[in-house]
Amino acid sequence: MNQDMIFRDTRFAYAENGWALDIPRLQLGSERMTCIVGPNGSGKSTLLRLACGMLAPTRGQVCLNGTALATMPRRTVARQIAFLPQESPPLFDYSVDMVVQMGRYAHVGWTGALTEEDRQAVNQALTAVSMEPLRRRPLSHLSGGEQRRALIAAVLAQESDLLLLDEPTASLDIHHAA
């Protein structure tokens, strides 16, 4: 399904009278893939955080399929948009399997119990990034690249229509970055 994301007169500033990202108008969604390139500190990560609703614009709005992200429940957003940040330091030493299962949050019921469909999505995501042999390992026992692949698997398991990946190949060896 195509997602139509529109930034309208969007501005975000981390501090008043400081650096700001201004986006007069930007429409995304009809392309199969869009890459945003620019120098360090130019606002690429900020743009992605605005696009997934992690940051709220200080002016304007970001809309997904005609609805402002700010008005949508987070679970609804998560069913449509998956976000992989540039850095994700693990806060707890979960196993790879548990991290990928967390990608299913938007789909599980109030009990948090995984269905067969959820387990299939987790298995497919682990297979896609060649992590099934490491699924029981804690994140602290993995290399930086293996940790990154586990996080990519969690994003894939989310099964959202729109994937926002901030430097997805960082820490990956050449074999897995391709």
Side-chain angles (χ1 to χ4, degrees):
M1 175 178 169
N2 274 352
Q3 297 292 347
D4 186 30
M5 178 169 285
I6 299 175
F7 291 74
R8 290 189 184 111
D9 191 29
T10 305
R11 178 184 182 86
F12 181 82
Y14 286 100
E16 196 173 316
N17 299 322
W19 177 90
L21 177 65
D22 286 300
I23 308 166
R25 180 169 173 81
L26 175 64
Q27 183 168 353
L28 303 169
S30 61
E31 313 81 8
R32 186 169 183 272
M33 183 185 317
T34 300
C35 296
I36 300 167
V37 295
N40 292 347
S42 63
K44 301 178 301 292
S45 296
T46 300
L47 178 101
L48 291 176
R49 286 187 182 104
L50 286 164
C52 73
M54 281 182 65
L55 293 177
T58 52
R59 182 185 74 218
Q61 62 182 350
V62 179
C63 294
L64 182 65
N65 298 325
T67 304
L69 278 181
T71 66
M72 297 172 70
R74 291 306 301 161
R75 191 177 287 249
T76 301
V77 172
R79 286 187 188 127
Q80 298 177 59
I81 301 172
F83 175 59
L84 177 67
Q86 194 175 111
E87 292 181 352
S88 302
L91 299 175
F92 300 99
D93 203 17
Y94 293 120
S95 70
V96 169
D97 199 50
M98 290 173 72
V99 168
V100 179
Q101 288 177 27
M102 287 179 206
R104 296 299 297 166
Y105 165 77
H107 302 281
V108 297
W110 64 273
T111 64
L114 296 179
T115 65
E116 184 56 35
E117 181 182 342
D118 295 319
R119 283 189 274 286
Q120 271 186 336
V122 167
N123 290 335
Q124 288 172 351
L126 286 166
T127 299
V129 297
S130 304
M131 289 294 287
E132 63 280 325
L134 304 176
R135 72 185 308 150
R136 303 277 180 246
R137 271 209 205 151
L139 287 181
S140 65
H141 295 192
L142 301 176
S143 71
E146 290 168 333
Q147 288 180 15
R148 190 69 171 167
R149 286 169 35 219
L151 295 172
I152 291 170
V155 167
L156 294 175
Q158 195 170 329
E159 294 186 324
S160 300
D161 294 321
L162 182 58
L163 303 180
L164 302 175
L165 310 174
D166 195 349
E167 296 193 24
T169 59
S171 300
L172 296 182
D173 58 41
I174 193 137
H175 174 72
H176 290 103

